[in-house]
Amino acid sequence: MTIGFRVRNRDRVIDQEWIDKFRELPVANISDSMHRLYAGGAQLRPMHREGKLVGRALTVKAPPGDNLMLHKAMDMAVDGDVIVMDAGGDVTHALMGEMMLDYAHRRGVVGFVLNGAIRDADAFLEMNIPSYAIGVTHRGPYKNGPGEINTPIAIGGMVIMPGDLIVGDADGVVVVPIDDAAEVYDRTVAKHVAEQKQIEAIKAGTHNPTWFNDALAKGGCELPSTN
């Protein structure tokens, strides 16, 4: 195998414990807990009807509009995998449609993150398998290759290593690196609890945010006199 045309197995994957724990946490809070630096970008939008995406990354790198390696990745997938594919952000040709979605689901794939387009959009809504892409087109893909499987990829600045934790909801997608899962989980839970307290305070009419005054203080400024 040469660079640009490689198929590898994953050396490690996120433990099921973390998949179960992160399933209940909002993507926005997870992202905030990583200083908003591990998000897939606003272009990745849900193509399914509803539901959470949580699973292990099986990564694919391919030329724009080519799904040869996506087919291979589906054959390699095991229960709980999320296929994450960087195809250069091109939306001229769809990377997959209804038949591939059905096949992958039967293989145990729990979702997709595609830096490219899909087709058969109604089927994605009907089957409701958590899937994210950046566009929709009826034009089908090529199957020429080359490409890579289970090598590092990046989508919208989000770097994904094979086996990393992928989490998606209606707001978009984030990646949690394997080695950082415990820290990110603790920070996310703490933020979620703090936000729930803020929501309760807002409902009770006792919420008194200090962000504006804090920002003024940091800048060495004072509010003008009201006289």
Side-chain angles (χ1 to χ4, degrees), residues 70-83:
L70 182 55
H71 280 279
K72 177 62 176 177
M74 290 180 182
D75 289 337
M76 294 173 60
V78 297
D79 286 346
D81 280 348
V82 176
I83 295 182

Side-chain angles (χ1 to χ4, degrees), residues 24-226:
E24 304 304 319
L25 298 176
V27 162
N29 286 353
I30 299 170
S31 179
D32 286 350
S33 297
M34 297 186 289
H35 297 282
R36 308 175 182 108
L37 294 177
Y38 288 77
Q43 286 184 305
L44 280 173
R45 302 310 305 153
M47 297 294 159
H48 57 295
R49 189 173 64 256
E50 60 183 0
K52 195 80 170 281
L53 170 64
V54 190
R56 305 175 299 262
L58 194 166
T59 63
V60 182
K61 186 194 299 285
D66 193 291
N67 74 356
L68 178 68
M69 285 299 188
L70 182 55
H71 280 279
K72 177 62 176 177
M74 290 180 182
D75 289 337
M76 294 173 60
V78 297
D79 286 346
D81 280 348
V82 176
I83 295 182
V84 188
M85 181 176 185
D86 176 26
D90 178 74
V91 294
T92 307
H93 296 269
L95 296 172
M96 61 178 291
E98 179 179 5
M99 288 188 291
M100 292 180 69
L101 183 67
D102 188 34
Y103 175 73
H105 179 58
R106 296 176 189 277
R107 291 283 305 168
V109 174
V110 297
F112 291 88
V113 179
L114 305 172
N115 190 20
I118 64 159
R119 67 177 180 179
D120 303 327
D122 287 343
F124 279 78
L125 294 172
E126 181 180 348
M127 295 179 66
N128 200 37
I129 298 165
S131 303
Y132 296 78
I134 64 171
V136 178
T137 179
H138 56 81
R139 299 177 69 179
Y142 298 103
K143 294 177 176 60
N144 300 323
E148 297 189 340
I149 295 176
N150 285 327
T151 57
I153 63 171
I155 300 176
M158 177 177 71
V159 177
I160 305 103
M161 301 293 291
D164 278 348
L165 176 64
I166 302 295
V167 187
D169 63 18
D171 285 340
V173 180
V174 294
V175 60
V176 179
I178 294 175
D179 293 329
D180 299 318
E183 177 186 352
V184 174
Y185 178 78
D186 289 343
R187 289 168 60 93
T188 303
V189 169
K191 180 173 179 58
H192 188 61
V193 170
E195 284 192 356
Q196 293 307 305
K197 291 180 179 179
Q198 285 181 318
I199 291 171
E200 292 172 4
I202 291 170
K203 292 178 179 178
T206 59
H207 184 53
N208 185 26
T210 61
W211 303 312
F212 184 74
N213 288 338
D214 291 345
L216 285 177
K218 287 181 181 179
C221 299
E222 296 180 0
L223 284 173
S225 173
T226 56

